[in-house]
Amino acid sequence: MVSFSPLRLAFLFLFCAAFSLARAQQAVSPIDRARLFQSTPNAANPTVNADGTALAEEDSEASSDDSLGTQIILKKRERVRTFVIAGDASVFYTDNAALTPNNKSDDLFFVTNAGISWTPRINPHLEAQIAARASIFRYNSMSTLDFESLGLSAALFWSPEHFCGINFFARYDFIELLDRHSDEILRDHEFTIGAQRMFSVGRAQTITIGATAVGGIADPSSAQRQQLGIFAGYRWQITRDFDAELFYRFAAYFYDRADRNDCNHVLSANLRYRLSRFADVNGFVSFGANRSDTPGFDYDVVTAGAGVGLSFRF
C-alpha cells in the first residue's frame, strides 16, 4: 500500500493543476492569437473589416484630386465592384508570440492571405456580400504556433435614408483553425450585428465610429464566447496613392463554458502606398492588451510588419 504525506499530496495537486493550466493554455493560445490578428483591419477580407463594417472600395478612376473632398464616401460607395479577388503576403515581428503575461518570447512570423468576395447591390440602400478567405501563419522560431485559418461569410449592409447617416450591418462567419499538421483547433460560427456612422473631416479625411454585438457557437466549447464592442477609425487620404489609417477597438468577451470574462483593447495603425491599380505595399503596427478575470490570460503584445497586396476587381 502506497502512502503519501501531506507535503507530497500538496506537491502532486500543484503539479496536476499546473499541467492542466498549461494544456488549457496550449489549446486556447492559438485561438486567441488568430482572433487577435483578425480583430485588426489588416486581416484580409476584401470589402469588410474585422468588425463586419463595409469598407470603401479603392478605384483608380476615383483617385483624382476631386475625389479628395467631402464627397469621398459617396463616390467610393458608388464605385463598389461586384467581384473582388485579393491576396497579400506580410512579415511581422511580435514581442509576445505566445500571448503570455510573463516570460515573453519575441518572434518573426509570415502571413499570407487570399480572399474572394461577391457584393451585389440589391437596391440603392441595401447590399449583400458573400466571401471566402484563407490565411497561413508560419513562425520563425516557435513553429509549434503555426496555424491556418479558413473562413466563409455572408453579410447584409443597410444604409437607410433620413437616419442621421447611420449604417447597419448583419453578418455570419464560419471560421476553422488548423494546426501545422492540419488537425482542427477550432470550429467557430459567429453572428454579428452592428451600426456605424461615417463623418467627413476636412478635405480628405474620414472618421468612422460604431458598435457591434457578436454571438458565437464554438467547438471546443471552452472557446465559445459572446462579445460587445465599440470601435473608431480615422482615415487620411494623404495623396492619390498614399493613405494612412488609425483604428481602435474595445471589446468585452463573455465565455459561455469557462469561468472567464475579458476586456480587450486593440490599437493599430496602417500606412499604404498604391503601386498600381492592382498592387500596393503597406506597413502595419498594433498594440493589444487583454485583461481577464482568469489567471494566465492577461497579456500585452506589440506587432509590427510590412507586406505587399494584390487585388482584382470586376
Side-chain angles (χ1 to χ4, degrees), residues 63-74:
S63 61
S64 60
D65 288 343
D66 64 354
S67 71
L68 300 179
T70 58
Q71 299 299 313
I72 186 170
I73 299 173
L74 295 178

Side-chain angles (χ1 to χ4, degrees), residues 2-275:
V2 180
S3 62
F4 293 95
S5 68
L7 182 60
R8 288 183 179 180
L9 286 173
F11 176 80
L12 182 62
F13 174 78
L14 291 175
F15 175 80
C16 291
F19 180 78
S20 299
L21 179 60
R23 293 280 293 182
Q25 189 79 344
Q26 263 191 339
V28 176
S29 183
I31 298 172
D32 285 348
R33 280 198 315 277
R35 284 172 164 173
L36 175 66
F37 194 85
Q38 290 170 345
S39 68
T40 62
N42 197 55
N45 191 1
T47 60
V48 181
N49 75 8
D51 287 288
T53 58
L55 296 177
E57 283 297 305
E58 294 292 348
D59 189 347
S60 60
E61 297 174 7
S63 61
S64 60
D65 288 343
D66 64 354
S67 71
L68 300 179
T70 58
Q71 299 299 313
I72 186 170
I73 299 173
L74 295 178
K75 284 193 174 186
K76 286 180 180 293
R77 293 297 292 163
E78 289 171 358
R79 296 176 185 268
V80 170
R81 299 304 195 214
T82 301
F83 292 97
V84 179
I85 300 174
D88 63 75
S90 304
V91 176
F92 293 93
Y93 165 83
T94 178
D95 70 341
N96 189 2
L99 300 182
T100 56
N102 302 303
N103 302 318
K104 296 181 181 180
S105 297
D106 62 346
D107 203 354
L108 294 173
F109 63 97
F110 171 80
V111 180
T112 181
N113 299 292
I116 183 170
S117 71
W118 176 46
T119 311
R121 175 165 290 183
I122 299 171
N123 62 48
H125 307 291
L126 184 65
E127 290 181 359
Q129 184 184 78
I130 298 174
R133 57 196 178 277
S135 303
I136 299 174
F137 288 69
R138 290 293 181 265
Y139 284 75
N140 180 47
S141 301
M142 306 176 69
S143 60
T144 55
L145 302 181
D146 294 348
F147 67 92
E148 292 92 42
S149 174
L150 303 174
L152 296 172
S153 65
L156 287 173
F157 309 100
W158 181 40
S159 305
E161 284 188 300
H162 314 301
F163 211 82
C164 303
I166 299 175
N167 301 322
F168 300 90
F169 52 90
R171 177 172 169 166
Y172 163 75
D173 285 279
F174 170 75
I175 301 167
E176 184 178 33
L177 301 183
L178 308 172
D179 65 16
R180 63 197 302 256
H181 303 294
S182 298
D183 293 328
E184 187 178 81
I185 303 171
L186 172 73
R187 181 174 296 181
D188 199 9
H189 302 268
E190 292 187 349
F191 305 87
T192 303
I193 58 172
Q196 68 173 16
R197 174 77 159 87
M198 299 180 71
F199 304 88
S200 292
V201 182
R203 217 173 144 260
Q205 302 170 66
T206 57
I207 292 176
T208 303
I209 60 173
T212 58
V214 183
I217 302 172
D219 182 17
S221 58
S222 59
Q224 185 167 302
R225 67 184 186 183
Q226 319 306 322
Q227 59 178 288
L228 297 173
I230 57 174
F231 61 90
Y234 166 76
R235 181 180 180 185
W236 179 20
Q237 191 73 41
I238 302 171
T239 69
R240 302 184 351 174
D241 300 317
F242 184 48
D243 64 81
E245 293 180 342
L246 186 65
F247 178 83
Y248 170 76
R249 190 209 61 171
F250 168 79
Y253 300 142
F254 309 97
Y255 286 81
D256 294 347
R257 304 296 177 86
D259 186 16
R260 177 184 171 191
N261 296 312
D262 291 10
C263 292
N264 185 270
H265 303 264
V266 173
L267 177 64
S268 65
N270 191 69
L271 293 174
R272 181 176 59 169
Y273 181 76
R274 173 181 285 179
L275 299 174

